[in-house]
Amino acid sequence: MGRSRLQNSGINPIEEESPDSPDASASSGPSRASLACVINAEVAAVLAVMRRNVRWGGAGSGAARYLPSAADDHLDHPLVQSLKSLRGQLFSRDPAHFLDPAAYLRPFLDVVRSDETGAPITGVALSAVYKILTLDGALRPGDGDAIRGVVDAVTSCRFEVTDPASEEAVLMKILQVLLAAMRSPVAISLSNQHVCTVVNTCFRVVHQAGTKGELLQRVSRHTMHELVRCIFSLLPYVAESTDQPALLNGEMGAVDKDQSFGVNHAENGNGNVGSLGNSGDDGVLGVETPNGMRVMMEPYGIPCMVEIFHFLCSLLNIVEHMEMSPRMNPIALDEDVPLFALGLINSAVELGGPSIRKHPKLLSLIQDELFRNLMQFGLSMSPLILSMVCSIVLNLYHHLRTELKLQLEAFFSCVILRLAQSRYGASYHQQEVAMEALVDFCRQKTFMPEMYANLDCDITCSNVFEDLANLLSKSAFPVNCPLSSMHVLALDGLIAVIQGMADRIGTAPPRTEQAPLELAEYTPFWTVKCEDYSDPEEWVKFVRRRKYIKRRLMIGADHFNRDPKKGLEFLQGTHLLPEKLDPQSVACFFRYTAGLDKNLVGDFLGNHDEFCVQVLHEFAGTFDFEDMNLDTALRLFLETFRLPGESQKIQRVLEAFSERYYEQSPQILANKDAALLLSYSLIMLNTDQHNVQVKKKMTEEDFIRNNRLINDGSDLPREFLSELYHSICRNEIRTIPDQGIGFPEMSPSRWIDLMRKSKKTSKYIICDSRPFLDHDMFAIMSGPTIAAISVVFDYAEQEEVFLTCVDGFLAVAKISAYHHLEDVLDDLVVSLCKFTTLLSTSLVEEPVTAFGDDMKARLATETVFNIANRYGDFIRTGWRNVLDCILRLHKLGLLPARVASDAADDSEVASDPVHGKPVPNSLSTSHIPAMGTPRRSSGLMGRFSQLLSLDTEEPRSQPTEQQLAAHQRTLQTIQKCHIDSIFTESKFLQADSLLQLARALIWAAGRPQKVTNSPDDEDTAVFCLELLIAITLNNRDRIVLLWKGVYEHIANIVQSTVMPCALVEKAVFGLLRICQRLLPYKENLADELLRSLQLVLKLDARVADAYCENITQEVTRLVKANATHIKSQMGWRTITSLLSITARHPEASEVGFEALVFIMSEGAHLSPANYILCVEASRQFAESRVGLTDRSVRALDLMTESVTSLARWSRETRDAGEEAEKISEGIREMWLRLVQALRKVCLDQREEVRNHALSSLQRCLVGLEGLCLSTMSWLQAFDLVIFPLMDDLLETAQNHSQKDYKNMEGTLLLSMKLLSKVFLQWLQELSALSSFCKLWLGVLSRMEKFMKAKVRGKRSEKLQELIPELLKNTLLVMKTKGVLAKRSTIGGDSLWELTWLHVNNIAPSLQSEVFPGPGIRAGVTC
């Protein structure tokens, strides 16, 4: 039944005491004696007032007419008698009479009821009752009869009105007593009927007070308010309602304005006030069920609350029917009464809270009647009413939103979205109140997510979230006007939504990528359901699926509006319609898809094609017309499409409608034909009444006459037709409905439809603090949000607004980063960078001072770098804008010195890596330019220090305090930005972001030009290159990601530079530095890194010459640190090439040779991969005439000593198995290249070098222990090295002057000795060759040539002496080894003959000396 439960009500009933209890008086309330004294005083007060009146003063002529008879002159009036009787009983020794509250209240209540007493007497009696009621312990739980008696008496109070003031006093006391009665602990004994009577009485006083003083008005309204609060505060403690009987018939608030208190209708026109509890015409508590009266007589609970709430709602209904009396208070009734009613309703909702949903009848009142009235009053011109309506809706949202899904949608669509925009005719105050309400809703953390989940993702609902977000964004834009409070208010709402999303991220787990939704097969889209609303995984999947369907349907609608056939084909392709169209699916597409062209839908439905007719009937079947008036049903039906103009199409449409309507609501109609004819008649009546071209309008009688005998040969009830007629006349049926532009008004028929839908709509989804849908929501609103915040930030002037915008920017960045919305974050960064003013400071005379004075610019700068540091992982193209700001700060000299440093700099000595000179301290205060002149390279403190150095030679103006303060603010801002962290912490950036940062640096540096750039451009390019190198070094583990772009950028610089400059210097040494750092860690990239150093070889000659020494130093450092990490021939080729080119450079050769010595000395770093390259490099140094001859000699020694490495490798190959021969062949090739290189040095002009080279060559040809050379190798040595060397030396000695080649004679002697020694060393192996004869003849021919050679114009005596001796020795050895003998078979007989032929030309006597014998002579063959 819904009665209050005492154990939970918070009301502590007082246990009845035994009269004999000795502690009774002490344990509860006042003692009996005290209570008696109080009552006695009140009796005395009432009697005293009565005696002042002549009527009650005694037996006299004036009073006689009021007494029963003249014989009773000296008898008291019954009222006086009862008071005196009570007085006598108060101090009676018999406690039984005293303990009954009803007994001692009765005399006072009799005075209140009596119509013979005047206002003063009634007022004193009411005061007495009030005093007793409020006396602690005077009434106890068992005294229900007493409290009921009080209510009955006071609500039927009668008194004689003498003057307005006393009347108002009595009315106020009535209110006072009734409120005290309801607040009494015994009030729980009151019945539902009593409570309704109390409320009704108070309301009548409120109504009657309208013609009286303001005090009574205020008191009466306050009392009414407190009564409602008192009653509904018990709602949370009332048991849940079950099947209640139908409650009350009629309206509680039916006010008879002619009734008032008092029976004497005096000059002031007062009457009496009836009560709710009266029977007959004055009562309004009739019941519809047999047990209804019993319900009202039970202790009060839900029945009276339902009736009171219904009464409060009805106050909103009757406002339009109330007329203002001439004597009413001048407060406008159209604002005053609704405000009063809405205030009471709001209190009831606040106190009832979520408990209301436990009681279906209360909930039903809120869902239907209350919300319908709120929709109506929401469009009121009164800001007060609108504000109260919004407050009620906010409370309802907070407590009952799960039960009010469609009602909330309607409120926002038809009220808030209409009133918050001026284009719909709303006044500024309406807009402001609506916007304030919307902002309040947005501050509810779950409001926007729930609107999105429940409405935007429901195909039958509008996109409330999207519309509200767009409204807030647009309302924040100041268009051609200064920033106003309305713009800031909208911004608050927008940021509240964004901040809610950001807050939800704080407790969320790392986001996982969501797979894109696609429908694999056709499923009826209107049947999609959620399996489990309590499981977030289930309902999130369900919501996203519905949103996907809704979006696809919208796209399909767009296609349909352009070409219906293509639109349906598109939906078939997305599996929203079956491959073979069926009528039901197409009908549901028409019914549930917003944005369709209603003209096209009407034409389709009216088409005579069989399929279209089937679709029409299925379409009609989607409507619920049960128990609905015909005109309402017809309105709803025709709102969904435009009724076609052709009569046949109209007939088909109305036939489908009539069939469906008769199927569901056949009550009065005999058949569907009757429904069809009546529908036609309504359409005709609608046209007649609302078409301006029809002059003579149809009357009610005409309409009734036109519809005779249509109900299966009989007439329809006249009342039924009359109601239809007036409904059409008052409210036109729109046969050309709106195309969904704007926000519709809530018509009665639409409200009926809404209530029907609310019973079938999907369950309301409650969102919690997790960001399940924030990605999708933010993707919708991010663009307008950033634009709106940016515009407000641009227009704002107050610090508070600036900070609000900054909070919004940071929240947007946080959300974008969490949901991986890189494009959004880029847009935000672009927008923020514009506000830093750093991109336009060139137009400002004092940019640093201006920046320090501009709070907006400083906040924007802090924010953009805050975002870059926090959320850099998700910045892409936005890096370009960030770098623009950094570059401008660099030009102004405001950057910290460490910005371009890398992580390893801390461990390095602070010296110039190129020149070995100390790096200038960026914090130095010396050499500071004049204020206002940007420094191209200074630290953060450098800018500030220039203000402090006033002792330089050039006069300069002393900075003012304001300038100093501005500069200090600038420095503080830059320090807060932590710009250096962007680059030093770049190793933590995600790969894509890091790559984009590098590309942005390359882009910011600009493309190098062969023509010299301006100093600013070059400075920018150098700075960008420094940053690029820094992030490259900081990301050595991800060098593969960056290397291509970095290399290409450096290559462009190197190849396009023709003159020495800072940029190419930074490029070259940066490249070397990268290689130095990364080679130890990236062996797989060693070749790539070293290949990049070939760029140095491509430097313009002038550039290379300028930096050669320093380049060589860096290469040397690289070699010494990373020689063991260089494995490939290609890598060594690059290194040796770089070293080789230094051989002839005066400054660089020493360092370059040092590196070569490091590689080759003792073979420490020689390998088959670099052997030939190092030999060739050594040759270059040996031939170089730069520096001392000793270096050339040392280079030759390095070459000679390298043979030991060859020997070692040769020994190691013996265990190499199958690969041994191949490796040995490589070693032999290296040896050959070695001797060839030495052969070239043997032709050097310098005698010492030349001769040392010959000695070195001899050692390499002779001292080959452990080196396995083949005979073929020796043949090659003679053919490619020794013989060409002998020829070249001879040619040089004969054809070049002594000045160029000193002491060539000695060189020729050495070469001849080398020839003889090598030949004899390998004679045994060579003699076995078939080509030995040719080789031997080559030796002889060289000796012969040398014998005949003229040095300095004459033959050399030393050669004349040496050659025969060497030849003789050679012949003897050959003889000894059997190589040369008479009739030798080796080489044929020609060897002997040819030998002596040549020998005789050199020394004829040698033959006889070597081969003494009688028959032997030169030229004779055997």
Side-chain angles (χ1 to χ4, degrees):
M1 265 306 302
R3 291 189 293 273
S4 65
R5 297 174 296 184
L6 295 182
Q7 63 270 29
N8 295 326
S9 67
I11 302 173
N12 298 319
I14 303 175
E15 299 292 339
E16 290 197 30
E17 302 177 88
S18 169
D20 301 328
S21 172
D23 299 328
S25 61
S27 62
S28 62
S31 65
R32 296 171 184 174
S34 300
L35 182 58
C37 292
V38 171
I39 297 173
N40 183 65
E42 295 306 316
V43 170
V46 174
L47 288 174
V49 175
M50 294 179 75
R51 290 190 184 101
R52 291 172 57 187
N53 191 297
V54 67
R55 180 185 304 174
W56 313 98
S61 58
R65 57 191 176 94
Y66 295 102
L67 298 178
S69 67
D72 299 326
D73 285 350
H74 299 287
L75 294 178
D76 290 328
H77 189 280
L79 294 179
V80 176
Q81 201 171 31
S82 64
L83 287 168
K84 290 181 177 181
S85 175
L86 174 60
R87 200 171 190 178
Q89 296 173 6
L90 285 175
F91 300 101
S92 170
R93 294 183 179 180
D94 183 3
H97 300 288
F98 178 80
L99 289 176
D100 183 9
Y104 58 72
L105 281 171
R106 188 175 301 112
F108 299 104
L109 298 179
D110 290 341
V111 173
V112 172
R113 286 193 189 94
S114 174
D115 55 5
E116 299 177 4
T117 56
I121 300 172
T122 304
V124 176
L126 288 168
S127 297
V129 173
Y130 174 76
K131 190 169 185 178
I132 295 171
L133 286 178
T134 56
L135 192 64
D136 189 21
L139 295 180
R140 302 177 186 179
D143 298 331
D145 290 340
I147 197 68
R148 287 190 287 271
V150 171
V151 170
D152 289 339
V154 176
T155 54
S156 57
C157 174
R158 299 290 185 269
F159 61 92
E160 184 177 345
V161 177
T162 56
D163 61 276
S166 60
E167 179 190 9
E168 291 185 18
V170 173
L171 292 177
M172 282 191 280
K173 289 183 178 180
I174 290 174
L175 297 172
Q176 191 179 40
V177 172
L178 290 178
L179 182 58
M182 289 303 302
R183 286 176 170 173
S184 169
V186 196
I188 55 175
S189 301
L190 293 173
S191 67
N192 290 300
Q193 180 71 53
H194 283 103
V195 175
C196 291
T197 304
V198 169
V199 174
N200 186 68
T201 301
C202 288
F203 179 74
R204 290 180 183 276
V205 174
V206 171
H207 174 69
Q208 192 171 342
T211 60
K212 302 185 184 303
E214 186 175 348
L215 179 60
L216 179 60
Q217 293 178 45
R218 293 181 181 275
V219 170
S220 61
R221 294 191 175 211
H222 174 74
T223 304
M224 187 77 177
H225 194 86
E226 291 300 311
L227 274 176
V228 170
R229 291 183 61 83
C230 181
I231 295 167
F232 280 89
S233 63
L234 291 179
L235 185 58
Y237 307 106
V238 177
E240 186 170 352
S241 300
T242 53
D243 295 333
Q244 298 185 72
L247 288 178
L248 308 178
N249 188 9
E251 292 188 355
M252 177 180 174
V255 179
D256 183 355
K257 297 185 291 296
D258 293 331
Q259 270 189 322
S260 59
F261 287 103
V263 294
N264 292 337
H265 202 64
E267 291 181 359
N268 58 8
N270 294 327
N272 63 351
V273 171
S275 73
L276 273 170
N278 293 342
S279 59
D281 295 338
D282 293 333
V284 292
L285 287 182
V287 293
E288 295 178 351
T289 61
N291 61 345
M293 188 56 69
R294 179 180 59 81
V295 169
M296 296 309 293
M297 291 301 105
E298 290 180 351
Y300 84 90
I302 286 300
C304 74
M305 295 182 189
V306 170
E307 185 61 24
I308 292 169
F309 200 85
H310 177 67
F311 161 64
L312 298 178
C313 293
S314 69
L315 288 179
L316 300 175
N317 291 331
I318 65 172
V319 167
E320 58 189 64
H321 305 298
M322 295 181 67
E323 298 177 0
M324 186 180 294
S325 167
R327 302 180 61 184
M328 294 284 279
N329 189 281
I331 299 176
L333 187 65
D334 60 346
E335 179 180 280
D336 191 46
V337 176
L339 271 177
F340 174 60
L342 291 170
L344 297 176
I345 290 170
N346 193 39
S347 294
V349 172
E350 286 174 345
L351 293 166
S355 303
I356 294 174
R357 66 163 54 91
K358 296 189 297 185
H359 308 289
K361 290 191 175 294
L362 264 181
L363 181 60
S364 177
L365 281 172
I366 289 174
Q367 289 173 324
D368 190 354
E369 186 172 357
L370 174 60
F371 240 104
R372 185 177 70 246
N373 288 319
L374 292 177
M375 297 287 292
Q376 175 186 347
F377 281 97
L379 298 175
S380 167
M381 292 299 294
S382 167
L384 292 175
I385 292 178
L386 176 57
S387 178
M388 183 57 71
V389 167
C390 294
S391 297
I392 294 173
V393 176
L394 181 61
N395 277 320
L396 290 173
Y397 167 80
H398 183 68
H399 296 303
L400 300 171
R401 60 184 180 274
T402 57
E403 317 297 334
L404 300 171
K405 173 179 172 180
L406 298 186
Q407 288 86 343
L408 288 169
E409 178 200 8
F411 179 76
F412 285 105
S413 297
C414 301
V415 177
I416 297 296
L417 287 166
R418 288 179 65 87
L419 294 184
Q421 305 177 74
S422 58
R423 60 176 173 165
Y424 295 108
S427 66
Y428 178 82
H429 292 299
Q430 283 180 303
Q431 294 176 55
E432 189 173 30
V433 173
M435 187 59 68
E436 287 172 349
L438 177 55
V439 172
D440 287 338
F441 276 99
C442 291
R443 287 173 178 148
Q444 313 300 310
K445 297 296 185 184
T446 62
F447 171 70
M448 281 299 203
E450 288 178 358
M451 291 299 101
Y452 180 78
N454 291 287
L455 303 179
D456 289 53
C457 297
D458 190 331
I459 61 173
T460 63
C461 299
S462 57
N463 292 331
V464 170
F465 160 76
E466 193 168 343
D467 292 337
L468 292 177
N470 288 334
L471 170 64
L472 289 170
S473 301
K474 292 177 182 177
S475 300
F477 270 82
V479 181
N480 300 324
C481 63
L483 194 67
S484 68
S485 58
M486 181 71 79
H487 300 130
V488 177
L489 185 62
L491 177 72
D492 287 340
L494 200 58
I495 291 180
V497 178
I498 296 299
Q499 196 62 54
M501 294 184 185
D503 292 343
R504 285 190 287 275
I505 289 173
T507 58
R511 178 180 175 273
T512 55
E513 289 294 331
Q514 297 176 342
L517 280 173
E518 287 187 5
L519 300 180
E521 58 184 13
Y522 167 71
T523 303
F525 61 83
W526 61 94
T527 62
V528 175
K529 297 187 183 302
C530 179
E531 299 297 332
D532 184 4
Y533 282 95
S534 62
D535 183 2
E537 288 189 9
E538 285 294 326
W539 70 252
V540 169
K541 189 187 304 181
F542 162 68
V543 163
R544 294 186 70 236
R545 181 180 176 86
R546 281 203 309 181
K547 186 61 178 177
Y548 173 83
I549 292 172
K550 190 172 184 178
R551 284 185 176 139
R552 290 291 171 177
L553 287 174
M554 296 294 288
I555 297 172
D558 186 58
H559 286 297
F560 181 87
N561 293 343
R562 286 177 287 180
D563 186 334
K565 183 178 179 181
K566 289 184 177 178
L568 296 177
E569 289 175 352
F570 169 81
L571 293 172
Q572 287 177 294
T574 55
H575 304 294
L576 288 175
L577 293 180
E579 291 185 10
K580 183 178 180 181
L581 290 177
D582 63 79
Q584 185 187 24
S585 62
V586 177
C588 289
F589 168 62
F590 290 157
R591 181 74 168 94
Y592 301 121
T593 304
L596 286 171
D597 186 326
K598 296 183 179 180
N599 292 317
L600 293 175
V601 175
D603 290 339
F604 190 101
L605 295 176
N607 197 300
H608 67 278
D609 180 79
E610 182 181 355
F611 181 76
C612 294
V613 173
Q614 293 175 348
V615 172
L616 173 61
H617 284 272
E618 289 287 350
F619 182 78
T622 62
F623 288 85
D624 179 12
F625 296 144
E626 189 173 352
D627 298 327
M628 190 180 289
N629 291 339
L630 180 63
D631 66 309
T632 301
L634 191 57
R635 290 177 198 278
L636 290 176
F637 188 68
L638 296 181
E639 278 182 353
T640 56
F641 62 93
R642 183 184 185 276
L643 190 64
E646 299 177 23
S647 59
Q648 292 181 344
K649 290 186 176 182
I650 293 174
Q651 181 175 352
R652 279 191 289 272
V653 169
L654 291 182
E655 282 178 353
F657 166 76
S658 302
E659 184 177 333
R660 176 63 175 172
Y661 181 79
Y662 178 74
E663 177 185 335
Q664 292 191 301
S665 299
Q667 290 87 350
I668 297 177
L669 302 173
N671 50 41
K672 63 181 181 181
D673 293 333
L676 174 61
L677 292 173
L678 190 54
S679 300
Y680 252 119
S681 183
L682 290 178
I683 295 293
M684 293 173 63
L685 174 63
N686 186 70
T687 304
D688 175 88
Q689 293 294 318
H690 300 286
N691 191 326
V692 294
Q693 296 179 353
V694 178
K695 304 301 180 183
K696 185 179 179 181
K697 303 296 183 182
M698 187 185 302
T699 64
E700 182 179 348
E701 290 300 324
D702 294 336
F703 177 71
I704 294 173
R705 184 170 56 252
N706 292 340
N707 289 287
R708 286 179 180 171
L709 305 178
I710 66 170
N711 196 27
D712 196 21
S714 59
D715 289 339
L716 290 165
R718 183 182 182 90
E719 296 78 8
F720 174 70
L721 294 175
S722 178
E723 183 181 350
L724 290 177
Y725 174 84
H726 290 291
S727 174
I728 299 298
C729 291
R730 286 193 306 268
N731 190 7
E732 177 187 4
I733 296 177
R734 297 186 179 274
T735 55
I736 306 178
D738 297 332
Q739 292 292 331
I741 300 173
F743 302 101
E745 295 182 1
M746 181 54 67
S747 63
S749 57
R750 284 176 177 165
W751 183 259
I752 293 172
D753 186 47
L754 182 146
M755 293 307 299
R756 297 288 179 90
K757 288 180 179 177
S758 66
K759 297 175 182 177
K760 301 177 182 178
T761 188
S762 58
K763 186 176 179 180
Y764 189 95
I765 295 171
I766 295 288
C767 294
D768 56 20
S769 60
R770 289 172 287 182
F772 293 121
L773 303 173
D774 286 355
H775 176 276
D776 299 335
M777 293 165 57
F778 188 69
I780 293 172
M781 66 180 298
S782 58
T785 298
I786 294 175
I789 300 175
S790 299
V791 171
V792 174
F793 191 67
D794 190 21
Y795 278 71
E797 296 179 355
Q798 297 82 18
E799 181 179 0
E800 184 180 357
V801 180
F802 287 153
L803 296 177
T804 301
C805 292
V806 167
D807 290 341
F809 286 135
L810 292 175
V812 168
K814 182 177 182 179
I815 300 164
S816 303
Y818 179 80
H819 295 293
H820 298 184
L821 297 171
E822 292 86 358
D823 292 343
V824 177
L825 193 56
D826 286 337
D827 291 343
L828 175 62
V829 170
V830 169
S831 181
L832 270 173
C833 286
K834 295 176 183 176
F835 295 117
T836 62
T837 69
L838 295 173
L839 308 183
S840 58
T841 51
S842 56
L843 305 176
V844 182
E845 183 177 353
E846 280 284 348
V848 178
T849 305
F851 182 78
D853 289 332
D854 190 342
M855 174 181 286
K856 182 191 301 181
R858 287 186 282 113
L859 282 174
T861 303
E862 285 184 35
T863 305
V864 76
F865 286 110
N866 191 352
I867 290 172
N869 278 301
R870 284 192 194 179
Y871 311 115
D873 279 342
F874 307 98
I875 298 177
R876 298 294 181 264
T877 58
W879 282 122
R880 293 190 176 188
N881 300 80
V882 174
L883 283 173
D884 283 341
C885 296
I886 293 175
L887 291 176
R888 187 56 190 167
L889 291 171
H890 170 67
K891 290 178 181 179
L892 295 174
L894 294 173
L895 284 183
R898 279 184 49 81
V899 167
S901 66
D902 62 83
D905 281 348
D906 296 333
S907 61
E908 294 184 358
V909 179
S911 63
D912 190 315
V914 177
H915 301 287
K917 301 174 184 177
V919 176
N921 188 349
S922 61
L923 301 182
S924 172
T925 58
S926 62
H927 194 62
I928 295 176
M931 189 171 62
T933 305
R935 294 179 57 192
R936 289 182 56 194
S937 58
S938 68
L940 177 61
M941 295 302 295
R943 167 55 57 183
F944 184 62
S945 63
Q946 68 184 14
L947 294 171
L948 306 178
S949 65
L950 305 174
D951 55 350
T952 55
E953 296 178 2
E954 297 182 6
R956 63 183 69 178
S957 60
Q958 184 173 356
T960 64
E961 290 185 6
Q962 290 79 7
Q963 288 176 316
L964 287 170
H967 279 65
Q968 186 64 40
R969 287 192 294 269
T970 298
L971 297 179
Q972 290 172 352
T973 297
I974 302 305
Q975 287 174 340
K976 291 177 184 177
C977 290
H978 302 292
I979 298 173
D980 55 322
S981 298
I982 295 175
F983 304 100
T984 58
E985 302 299 318
S986 61
K987 55 181 170 288
F988 301 113
L989 284 178
Q990 288 187 3
D992 289 343
S993 179
L994 178 64
L995 185 60
Q996 291 295 334
L997 175 57
R999 289 175 179 172
L1001 283 166
I1002 295 169
W1003 170 83
R1007 190 165 184 83
Q1009 303 293 328
K1010 292 195 175 183
V1011 180
T1012 305
N1013 293 331
S1014 68
D1016 280 348
D1017 290 343
E1018 183 180 0
D1019 184 52
T1020 297
V1022 170
F1023 182 67
C1024 289
L1025 183 57
E1026 289 176 345
L1027 295 177
L1028 185 62
I1029 292 170
I1031 66 168
T1032 303
L1033 294 174
N1034 277 318
N1035 290 274
R1036 67 188 185 196
D1037 294 331
R1038 297 186 288 179
I1039 185 63
V1040 176
L1041 184 70
L1042 299 172
W1043 180 245
K1044 181 179 179 183
V1046 173
Y1047 172 77
E1048 288 178 355
H1049 180 57
I1050 293 177
N1052 286 334
I1053 294 172
V1054 169
Q1055 294 171 5
S1056 62
T1057 306
V1058 295
M1059 293 296 291
C1061 63
L1063 180 61
V1064 72
E1065 179 182 0
K1066 183 62 67 177
V1068 170
F1069 293 108
L1071 182 62
L1072 286 164
R1073 191 176 178 206
I1074 290 172
C1075 291
Q1076 287 176 24
R1077 289 284 192 83
L1078 300 185
L1079 275 175
Y1081 305 102
K1082 295 293 176 184
E1083 292 187 4
N1084 58 325
L1085 283 178
D1087 288 352
E1088 191 72 25
L1089 292 169
L1090 292 169
R1091 185 183 294 115
S1092 69
L1093 295 180
Q1094 294 177 4
L1095 287 175
V1096 179
L1097 303 175
K1098 299 178 182 179
L1099 284 170
D1100 184 272
R1102 290 165 290 188
V1103 178
D1105 185 64
Y1107 303 117
C1108 188
E1109 180 183 3
N1110 299 317
I1111 290 173
T1112 308
Q1113 288 179 355
E1114 290 302 313
V1115 172
T1116 300
R1117 184 180 301 177
L1118 184 149
V1119 169
K1120 288 182 177 180
N1122 300 289
T1124 55
H1125 302 293
I1126 305 173
K1127 306 291 186 182
S1128 69
Q1129 187 176 25
M1130 187 282 304
W1132 280 112
R1133 178 177 288 110
T1134 303
I1135 295 296
T1136 54
S1137 298
L1138 290 171
L1139 296 176
S1140 296
I1141 61 175
T1142 67
R1144 289 171 176 78
H1145 196 279
E1147 290 82 16
S1149 59
E1150 182 180 350
V1151 181
F1153 185 69
E1154 179 187 344
L1156 188 63
V1157 170
F1158 175 80
I1159 297 170
M1160 299 185 66
S1161 181
E1162 299 180 359
H1165 299 291
L1166 278 177
S1167 68
N1170 68 3
Y1171 183 85
I1172 295 174
L1173 298 169
C1174 290
V1175 166
E1176 188 61 26
S1178 297
R1179 182 187 68 78
Q1180 296 281 354
F1181 278 98
E1183 291 179 343
S1184 173
R1185 305 191 67 173
V1186 174
L1188 300 175
T1189 305
D1190 290 345
R1191 189 166 63 211
S1192 297
V1193 173
R1194 179 69 177 127
L1196 290 169
D1197 291 341
L1198 289 176
M1199 296 170 72
T1200 306
E1201 292 168 2
S1202 68
V1203 175
T1204 57
S1205 296
L1206 294 177
R1208 184 176 72 252
W1209 299 336
S1210 182
R1211 289 192 296 270
E1212 292 171 354
T1213 58
R1214 293 170 185 170
D1215 302 326
E1218 298 179 357
E1219 297 291 324
E1221 182 56 34
K1222 185 177 180 180
I1223 296 173
S1224 297
E1225 183 63 30
I1227 294 173
R1228 288 191 287 269
E1229 176 64 21
M1230 286 185 272
W1231 173 81
L1232 181 62
R1233 297 292 291 273
L1234 170 65
V1235 294
Q1236 283 179 318
L1238 287 170
R1239 171 226 164 219
K1240 292 179 182 178
V1241 185
C1242 290
L1243 301 174
D1244 196 277
Q1245 288 183 325
R1246 296 166 294 173
E1247 179 185 2
E1248 183 180 353
V1249 175
R1250 187 171 61 242
N1251 293 341
H1252 195 79
L1254 280 168
S1255 302
S1256 299
L1257 178 60
Q1258 182 174 317
R1259 288 200 300 271
C1260 292
L1261 290 171
V1262 177
L1264 300 178
E1265 294 182 7
L1267 188 62
C1268 299
L1269 296 176
S1270 65
T1271 53
M1272 186 58 63
S1273 297
W1274 285 111
L1275 277 178
Q1276 290 176 326
F1278 276 96
D1279 291 340
L1280 300 178
V1281 178
I1282 299 175
F1283 289 159
L1285 173 63
M1286 303 293 291
D1287 296 340
D1288 291 341
L1289 285 173
L1290 183 61
E1291 191 273 335
T1292 300
Q1294 290 178 338
N1295 297 329
H1296 290 79
S1297 67
Q1298 178 67 22
K1299 184 179 180 180
D1300 294 332
Y1301 288 86
K1302 295 180 180 180
N1303 195 17
M1304 279 299 295
E1305 182 180 11
T1307 303
L1308 294 176
L1309 292 171
L1310 290 174
S1311 65
M1312 187 54 64
K1313 291 178 182 178
L1314 178 147
L1315 175 65
S1316 175
K1317 189 168 185 177
V1318 172
F1319 182 78
L1320 292 176
Q1321 176 82 18
W1322 299 101
L1323 176 63
Q1324 192 67 40
E1325 289 83 358
L1326 294 172
S1327 63
L1329 296 174
S1330 61
S1331 59
F1332 175 74
C1333 181
K1334 180 181 177 182
L1335 174 66
W1336 167 238
L1337 292 178
V1339 173
L1340 290 175
S1341 67
R1342 267 65 180 186
M1343 288 183 173
E1344 185 177 352
K1345 288 179 182 178
F1346 271 57
M1347 280 290 292
K1348 297 177 181 179
K1350 293 182 179 181
V1351 180
R1352 289 178 291 179
K1354 61 180 182 179
R1355 294 187 178 184
S1356 170
E1357 295 181 0
K1358 294 181 179 180
L1359 285 174
Q1360 296 294 326
E1361 294 177 3
L1362 177 64
I1363 292 174
E1365 184 180 346
L1366 292 175
L1367 179 58
K1368 179 180 179 181
N1369 186 50
T1370 303
L1371 292 171
L1372 288 172
V1373 173
M1374 293 175 69
K1375 175 184 176 183
T1376 303
K1377 293 186 177 182
V1379 174
L1380 182 65
K1382 186 178 179 181
R1383 302 188 65 83
S1384 172
T1385 59
I1386 300 176
D1389 294 337
S1390 60
L1391 175 65
W1392 177 267
E1393 296 174 356
L1394 292 174
T1395 298
W1396 297 117
L1397 179 63
H1398 284 282
V1399 170
N1400 290 335
N1401 289 336
I1402 298 171
S1405 61
L1406 282 181
Q1407 184 175 10
S1408 59
E1409 293 179 13
V1410 177
F1411 288 93
I1416 298 181
R1417 69 177 193 271
V1420 178
T1421 60
C1422 299

